[in-house]
Structures are given as structure tokens and as C-alpha cells.
Amino acid sequence: MYYAFFGLNQAPFKITPDTDVFFEGGNRGAILEALIYAISNGEGIIKVTGEVGSGKTMLCRVLQTRLPKNVETVYLANPSMSPEEILHAIAFELQLPITKDAGRLEVMHALNAYLLERHAKQRQVVVFVEESQGMPIPTLEEVRLLSNLETKQHKLLQIVLFGQPELDENLRQPQIRQLRERITHSFTLLPLDQSDVRAYLTFRLQAAGYHGPDLFSRRVIAYLTRASGGLTRRINLVADKALLAAFAEGTHNVTLRHVKAAVRDSEFSDLPRPRSAAPLAYALGGLTLGGVIGVAVFAAYQTLLAPAPSAPMVSTQADAAVPAAQTFNAPAAATGVDAPASHAPNTAITVTRSGSERSATVYRSTAEPRSTPAWTPQGSNAASPVSAQENAAAAGAQSGATSLPTPQPGLLGSELEAGDRESAAGDVLEQRLHATEQWLAEQNGSVYSIQLLGTNDPELLRVYFKTIAKYLEIDKVYVYRTMANQRPSLTVLYGNFFNRAEVNRVLQSLPEELKTNLPYYRTIQGVRSEIARHSYSSLRPERH
């Protein structure tokens, strides 16, 4: 439900293992490579242990997808079975022609014949056993006997045990010491530390389509690391609820208060729950948020559902992830700060950025006069700066929004290279940076704006302004300095709009050339909070 608000195309923090978003930090990538090597070299029994929610299932599934093509896999998700049952389970997965009432010797004979056949064809068979800490001791002994199936030079069957730390306790029992001696490799998935948690959050958000500034500050990440114990499943649960809480408040900044409320609502939390508010069942998300989050979501959702009596209802594709009932009133006007418009002529070129950055279409000036008419948002009427401010103040009064103290967007400028800070009288970028400071100081916090793109390359942005000038009035384009992926960055906004219906309609009617970077709407209050947070972080000494 918050996907469109944060510019996401899918859920960033699903707890269901998805091999497309395997995080290789926290030594996960190194363990994966070691497992592939051990299996490829026919190393008997391998053990992988980790706490509940540390990512064992994800690792197991990714491992199966990355093994060589000559490796056949058997996956046992529930090993809590007798020795005879585990033999039948392996035979069933390999589709061996045996009956249900076949005895142990018959199954072992069929299994040995099949493995010899596979070995003659230069193929390997590997059995992955999940939750192996729940395997009875006699069944573990049967696993050891299976590892005895071999030729003079090679093991015919390899076994990989995935389990919680209790598996190590079981293997320390005297009656199972022979199995312990057969384990050739042992790996442990440790909890993520604070730097790994930061990298993990960034990785999952970017995999879900997010390209904006950092949502989680260092202070928030430090608390999240301690509260979750560095376990990825807990991190996913808390981060998802925290994003939902931020969405309910209409801000793109996840604060410590949001995360604490999300932790308090989680079953693993030791924090006391509020006495008065039971968790609310959020209708379309299927999530339950207790205390502060539940109240905030409910209030915000009711506000969104309240239509104005005289305006038609509008539903847009940008809100595909928002509940169908969440429609909004038609707007009054789109306005900006009144400044001289740029009419620079343009010729199209394409600039492609390598790595994780996306390509952007930009334009260079020519001597030819511009023939393309300026783009006008569908259904919006230009308003004077005075009336715009009056409307913004009225919107703020109706919604009860309060304006935050306006931080100085230029505080992060010292972190950019000196060459990037040089400005000339005709530099559009510097002009818009200066105009944005005044604009942010004057706007009501509940006003919306459209984020067109963010970049850490000022020169590319200067060229891209010429693309924007083809369709938009430059005096309604704003730029501020921030941090993205822990690097100084510049974010470009367009316009100010007084309700979601208006900003959604303008967002949908943007020219395709300006949709390259997946624009999305934001609130002025959220922008101010982001600038203040990163300005404070840039001035604050690093703690060790």
C-alpha cells in the first residue's frame, strides 16, 4: 500500500525467501561460494547453522539455483521422521520405483543402484536437509550410513544439513560422534552488524525500485540493529512496519519513533506494549500495527477516504499499490515560485550511466529556436504566487499540518567537490538551489511536490535541465542538496500541489521523457525533514 508513495514497484521487505534479492553481505556471499566449491568437489557431509531468521532457507534456495547443471538436488523441508521414513522420502524425491511398504534394505539397494547410474553419467546427487536440529538421533545415524554409499574414489551421495544452533548440541552427544567426524565443512551464519544492516536496507530498497535519498538514518539503523539482533527476518518485519508508519504520517523519513513502534508491535520485542491500543487489522495490507502505528494508519487512511462534495473522484495508475477505495478529489491549481522562465533551445542526446545508476535523456543547446511548446499539466490552472500561498495555508489549516523549522539546504554543499560548487551568473542549477531555499521556507508542510530525479553528478543535472525546459517552466523546478547511498546528491522537484488527486494527475500526465527516472510525489514536510536529518548527520561527528 505504500509502494507508490516511496516509488517502489514491489514489497522491499518480504519475509518469504526470494532468490532474486539474495544479500551477499555479512559473509553470506562467501559462504555461498564455499558451499558451491565443497559440493562440486564431492565433500561428504556439510553443516550450516544459524539462529532463527538468520537466512538459512534463503541460502539453501540460492545454493540450489547456482549449482552446476550436473548436480541433482533433493530437498527435505521436514526431517522430523524415522530412519525408514527419511529413506522413503529421498527415494520419493528421486522418483525411484519402490512401493510404500518396501523395507529398508530394498530402498537402500534401489538408492545405491540409482546413485551408481548417476555417477557413471558424471552426475552428482545432493540432499539438502532443512531444520535438521529437529531430526531424531536415530535418523541422524541413518544419514551417516547414507554417506557410506561411495565408490573407491568418490562419494555417491552428498548431504548438506541446515539447522539452528541446537543441531550442534545434538551432534555433541556421544552416541552420534561418528556422524560428527564425517562433517567435512561447517559454516555459521552470524547476525548482521550495523554496517551490514545499512547495506542490507539499501540493497532491498533498491531491488524494489527505490532510487531516492536514504530513508533510514545512522541513529535509526543503530537502534534497528540492536532491536533485531542483526537477524534478517526481524529486520524485514520491523522495516516494513516502519515504512507503513512513515507512509501514514505522509513523510519519507523513517524516524526512531516509527522504528520503536514497529519493534514494540513485533512478537520478538522485549519492549512493553501500550495498554490502551490493541493492534489494528489494516484491511488491505493484512498487517497488524499496535499502539502508535495502528492509530496513525487509521487516522491517515480515514483522511484519504474523505472526498470533497463538489469534485469528481480520480484514480490513477500511480496508486496501483494503494487500496482501490483510496480515491481523491480533483485539484484546484498547480503553482510554483514566480521567476523568469528559461527558453533555452535544445537538441536531444542520451547519457547512459554505468553500474546501478540509470540512464537519463538530456539535451544540449543549439542555435535553433525551440519549436516544442511548453508542456502544461492536464487539468491544472496556473495560479499567482500570492493565491498559491493562500491556498497552501488553507490546505494546511484544514489538515492540521504544522510547518517544521526550515533547515538550510546548502549545509551539505561542503561535501561536494569544489568544482561542483562553482556558479556563474547564468547557472540554472545554482539559481534553482537558491530559489528552492526560499520556496521551502514559504510552503506549507502538507503541500505535495513531484520528485523528478536524483543524481550525484551536478554536470549531468545541468545538461538535464535543458530536457526539463522543453516541457516544464523552470521557475517551478526546485533543487536541494541531500545524501543518497551515503554520498552527496542533488534532488529535483517540480511544482507544489495541494492534494494527492492533483499531484497524481500531473504525475500521470508527465511526458514520457520525464518519466525515465520513475518520478513520484512527496510532501514538503518530508523534504524538510530529510534535509534537516542529513544536514545534522553531516555536521555530527562519527561515533566509534
Side-chain angles (χ1 to χ4, degrees):
M1 69 184 59
Y2 56 71
Y3 305 162
F5 183 74
F6 288 102
L8 305 172
N9 51 40
Q10 62 181 7
F13 297 110
K14 294 184 293 185
I15 62 173
T16 302
D18 182 355
T19 57
D20 291 334
V21 290
F22 174 66
F23 177 65
E24 296 192 2
N27 214 31
R28 269 63 176 170
I31 292 177
L32 175 63
E33 294 300 323
L35 286 169
I36 294 174
Y37 171 82
I39 292 173
S40 300
N41 284 274
E43 302 284 357
I45 301 177
I46 303 168
K47 174 174 66 72
V48 180
T49 56
E51 275 292 349
V52 177
S54 60
K56 297 184 298 296
T57 299
M58 170 72 88
L59 179 64
C60 179
R61 294 187 181 180
V62 172
L63 176 59
Q64 293 179 66
T65 65
R66 299 194 185 180
L67 287 172
K69 293 183 178 180
N70 67 318
V71 178
E72 297 180 17
T73 62
V74 174
Y75 179 73
L76 300 180
N78 180 23
S80 300
M81 55 186 75
S82 67
E84 292 78 14
E85 289 172 336
I86 198 168
L87 286 177
H88 277 270
I90 295 173
F92 175 80
E93 293 294 329
L94 293 174
Q95 300 181 1
L96 301 185
I98 58 173
T99 61
K100 293 182 179 180
D101 57 351
R104 178 182 178 280
L105 290 179
E106 182 180 350
V107 176
M108 286 290 286
H109 178 75
L111 180 59
N112 188 60
Y114 177 84
L115 294 175
L116 287 172
E117 177 192 352
R118 297 286 90 188
H119 178 70
K121 295 181 179 180
Q122 304 297 315
R123 300 187 66 84
Q124 295 176 257
V125 179
V126 182
V127 177
F128 294 96
V129 184
E130 279 256 53
E131 303 295 341
S132 55
Q133 78 281 348
M135 189 180 293
I137 297 299
T139 306
L140 283 172
E141 177 62 16
E142 189 66 41
V143 167
R144 182 187 69 82
L145 295 176
L146 284 173
S147 69
N148 287 336
L149 299 175
E150 57 189 11
T151 65
K152 291 182 179 180
Q153 297 178 333
H154 300 93
K155 294 287 185 182
L156 294 177
L157 183 66
Q158 293 175 267
I159 300 169
V160 184
L161 302 175
F162 289 85
Q164 298 167 19
E166 290 80 3
L167 174 61
D168 290 326
E169 297 178 10
N170 292 340
L171 293 175
R172 281 194 288 268
Q173 298 187 33
Q175 63 269 36
I176 204 69
R177 65 183 183 278
Q178 288 179 304
L179 172 61
R180 187 171 65 247
E181 295 294 331
R182 297 289 182 92
I183 296 175
T184 57
H185 293 276
S186 181
F187 303 98
T188 301
L189 293 181
L190 298 175
L192 302 181
D193 61 23
Q194 184 174 332
S195 62
D196 289 329
V197 171
R198 174 187 286 274
Y200 178 78
L201 293 171
T202 301
F203 169 76
R204 293 296 291 253
L205 284 167
Q206 290 181 346
Y210 181 73
H211 298 281
D214 297 338
L215 295 177
F216 298 85
S217 67
R218 285 181 295 184
R219 184 184 178 197
V220 169
I221 292 174
Y223 177 81
L224 175 56
T225 303
R226 293 193 304 270
S228 66
L231 301 176
T232 53
R233 183 181 299 162
R234 292 182 178 183
I235 295 170
N236 288 342
L237 289 170
V238 173
D240 180 67
K241 293 180 181 181
L243 287 178
L244 187 58
F247 163 74
E249 292 187 359
T251 177
H252 287 78
N253 299 304
V254 180
T255 66
L256 190 60
R257 178 168 53 84
H258 297 144
V259 174
K260 284 186 175 180
V263 170
R264 186 177 294 111
D265 187 65
S266 302
E267 292 298 327
F268 62 81
S269 172
D270 294 330
L271 297 177
R273 292 173 178 257
R275 296 180 180 179
S276 58
L280 297 178
Y282 203 74
L284 294 172
L287 299 175
T288 58
L289 298 178
V292 176
I293 294 182
V295 175
V297 171
F298 183 79
Y301 195 60
Q302 293 301 316
T303 301
L304 296 178
L305 289 175
S310 60
M313 305 301 285
V314 179
S315 180
T316 68
Q317 293 179 356
D319 289 325
V322 181
Q326 188 173 316
T327 52
F328 309 94
N329 299 330
T335 65
V337 176
D338 197 10
S342 171
H343 297 287
N346 308 279
T347 298
I349 65 170
T350 299
V351 175
T352 302
R353 308 303 306 276
S354 62
S356 60
E357 298 177 1
R358 292 167 293 161
S359 63
T361 304
V362 298
Y363 288 78
R364 298 190 186 280
S365 298
T366 67
E368 297 292 330
R370 182 173 65 183
S371 59
T372 305
W375 170 84
T376 303
Q378 296 180 6
S380 66
N381 302 316
S384 67
V386 175
S387 63
Q389 296 307 317
E390 292 173 352
N391 290 338
Q398 292 176 2
S399 63
T402 59
S403 299
L404 296 175
T406 304
Q408 296 298 321
L411 284 175
L412 291 172
S414 60
E415 298 188 30
L416 294 173
E417 294 182 3
D420 297 334
R421 297 196 304 270
E422 295 176 358
S423 62
D427 191 333
V428 178
L429 174 57
E430 293 297 333
Q431 293 173 4
R432 299 322 301 159
L433 283 167
H434 178 73
T436 301
E437 294 185 22
Q438 180 181 358
W439 175 70
L440 285 173
E442 296 173 349
Q443 295 300 315
N444 186 281
S446 62
V447 172
Y448 294 92
S449 188
I450 295 174
Q451 178 168 321
L452 295 176
L453 79 159
T455 178
N456 56 18
D457 188 340
E459 293 307 318
L460 178 64
L461 184 55
R462 287 184 172 94
V463 179
Y464 189 73
F465 265 124
K466 297 171 184 178
T467 298
I468 298 175
K470 288 185 59 179
Y471 305 104
L472 307 177
E473 296 179 48
I474 291 296
D475 62 333
K476 295 181 182 179
V477 175
Y478 307 100
V479 186
Y480 65 91
R481 292 187 172 98
T482 183
M483 297 289 287
N485 299 327
Q486 306 174 47
R487 300 173 60 187
S489 179
L490 295 163
T491 298
V492 181
L493 304 174
Y494 167 66
N496 47 319
F497 312 95
F498 303 131
N499 56 56
R500 290 196 184 185
E502 180 180 14
V503 70
N504 270 317
R505 183 171 60 251
V506 174
L507 188 62
Q508 289 300 302
S509 64
L510 284 174
E512 291 301 320
E513 203 164 3
L514 297 184
K515 293 182 179 180
T516 304
N517 295 284
L518 305 177
Y520 59 95
Y521 63 80
R522 302 186 59 182
T523 63
I524 300 302
Q525 180 178 354
V527 172
R528 288 172 178 161
S529 299
E530 176 198 334
I531 294 173
R533 175 162 57 90
H534 290 307
S535 298
Y536 173 72
S537 297
S538 67
L539 297 175
R540 180 185 177 196
E542 187 76 41
R543 290 185 178 180
H544 298 285

